[in-house]
Amino acid sequence: LYTFFPEGIWADKALINRARLLDHKLNTPLEALPVYENLIIRFGSSFYADEARRRLREIRQTKPITPAT
């Protein structure tokens, strides 16, 4: 949904649902990171932004990202 309607009224919900799916259902939290970040950047005042920020912090604390060399 977000891909086709990035400015639509359901775009923020589509992003949080995608992030939740990657994070919890598929158990790939590192793949969910850019989705959470995108939600925060594009929809910082969204109802879902606080959840995205919280989850982003949790993932970064438990799974440190090492820079590529």
Side-chain angles (χ1 to χ4, degrees):
L1 183 65
Y2 177 77
T3 303
F4 297 110
F5 304 104
E7 301 301 324
I9 61 171
W10 300 107
D12 58 341
K13 187 169 185 173
L15 284 174
I16 196 68
N17 284 336
R18 181 172 182 209
R20 288 171 179 163
L21 176 71
L22 289 166
D23 192 359
H24 302 293
K25 298 291 183 186
L26 299 177
N27 199 27
T28 55
L30 293 180
E31 289 183 32
L33 277 176
V35 182
Y36 285 128
E37 289 171 342
N38 192 16
L39 189 148
I40 293 165
I41 291 167
R42 295 191 48 104
F43 305 100
S45 61
S46 166
F47 174 79
Y48 304 106
D50 285 340
E51 176 185 345
R53 285 185 194 95
R54 180 187 54 78
R55 191 62 190 126
L56 200 59
R57 271 193 309 273
E58 290 172 356
I59 294 169
R60 286 180 174 161
Q61 287 174 353
T62 59
K63 298 182 186 288
I65 300 170
T66 56
T69 55

